Amino acid sequence: MTAHASLSRRAAAELIGTAGLLVVVIGSGLQAAELSRDTGVALIANSLASAIGLGLIITLFGPLSGAHLNPVVTLTSWWARRTGGEGLGGREAFVYTVAQTAGAIGGALLAEAMFGRTPGTFSTQVRDGGHLLIGEVVATAGLVLVIQGLGRIGRPRLIPAAVAAYIAAAIWFTSSGSFANPAGTIGRSFSDSFTGIAPESLPGFVAAQLAGGILGLALAALLYGRGTGSGTGAGAAASRTAKPVPVAVETAVPASLSEAGPGDGASPEKAAYEPVG
């Protein structure tokens, strides 16, 4: 892969990567529900598959687009550039966000079709209540803090594994099940399964995720200083002119648990995703 991929190629990577993430999240949820009536067992299977799939996708697409897969991650990259660091420009951030959202919807439809279900059926799984929104704020803030923190202390190589591990944990310790991804949340509204979310629940979840992104940035600045954006990529394939921030995420959580409260081209960081020696 060339050191500086075109915006169209990076957008394609974000679209395909986000679609793949939704296929993993929704598909593993559907499979788990078919194989076990125990919601705990189903959630274990879904969380492990989601975390493993996410880590692989970040590793694969990170050197190309930064593997944001998440509008919140993209917006933190845009903000880094706005405040004098390295990140995406406004046009790039817009293209990334559109690609991620389209990919999420496409991935959801593909997962439904793959399991013999009718694609395009909206979810009836209503997720409301202040406790769930607090869970989304916490989940998204933690995700941004993991990405920003590792980048700012000079350990971007750990980001793919760390993000995957964080998501696996957050699925369990947050009341919302850690959607933590506006594009993924929209995509999951197209799956009428326990991984889905009803369209009427989208505004609250997306608003909570954006608030969590802001909180995560504030915590990173408080703990590590403003930085220069050197660690703003989860799949860090950013260049000096547009260094992306990585990844994002979401996962499935059984309805019973949720109700209970269940770059740019390439930068020096690209070496973190290539063999050593």
Side-chain angles (χ1 to χ4, degrees):
M1 180 54 61
T2 59
H4 296 279
S6 65
L7 178 57
S8 61
R9 184 168 295 184
R10 286 182 281 135
E14 287 295 306
L15 186 150
I16 295 170
T18 310
L21 176 60
L22 267 291
V23 169
V24 171
V25 171
I26 295 175
S28 64
L30 291 172
Q31 186 77 287
E34 287 184 4
L35 296 177
S36 176
R37 294 183 180 277
D38 187 316
T39 56
V41 172
L43 186 57
I44 289 174
N46 178 249
S47 60
L48 287 177
S50 298
I52 293 170
L54 175 62
L56 291 173
I57 291 170
I58 297 172
T59 301
L60 179 61
F61 292 103
L64 178 57
S65 68
H68 294 197
L69 318 178
N70 186 333
V72 168
V73 174
T74 294
L75 288 174
T76 60
S77 178
W78 170 79
W79 181 253
R81 184 164 181 174
R82 288 272 299 178
T83 54
E86 295 173 348
L88 296 177
R91 176 170 173 267
E92 293 172 306
F94 175 76
V95 171
Y96 267 47
T97 299
V98 171
Q100 291 156 1
T101 304
I105 294 173
L109 297 178
L110 176 58
E112 291 283 298
M114 186 168 61
F115 280 84
R117 296 158 62 88
T118 303
T121 302
F122 285 114
S123 174
T124 56
Q125 179 63 257
V126 176
R127 301 176 188 270
D128 55 17
H131 64 293
L132 297 182
L133 300 184
I134 292 173
E136 276 302 282
V137 171
V138 170
T140 311
L143 173 65
V144 171
L145 182 58
V146 167
I147 294 169
Q148 292 284 326
L150 288 174
R152 296 184 189 200
I153 62 176
R155 295 184 177 179
R157 294 171 184 249
L158 300 179
I159 291 178
V163 168
Y166 172 79
I167 288 306
I171 293 172
W172 285 90
F173 74 71
T174 62
S175 58
S176 63
S178 185
F179 283 49
N181 184 336
T185 303
I186 292 172
R188 286 168 61 171
S189 70
F190 287 83
S191 175
D192 191 17
S193 64
F194 82 76
T195 64
I197 178 171
E200 57 263 39
S201 299
L202 292 178
F205 264 59
V206 172
Q209 291 156 1
L210 294 175
I214 295 172
L215 177 59
L217 280 175
L219 290 173
L222 173 66
L223 295 171
Y224 303 105
R226 294 182 64 85
T228 60
S230 60
T232 54
S239 70
R240 302 299 291 180
T241 58
K243 180 173 286 189
V245 190
V247 111
V249 214
E250 71 197 83
T251 58
V253 59
S256 59
L257 294 183
S258 67
E259 292 294 332
D264 203 23
S267 75
E269 292 180 17
K270 180 178 179 181
Y273 298 86
E274 299 176 341
V276 177

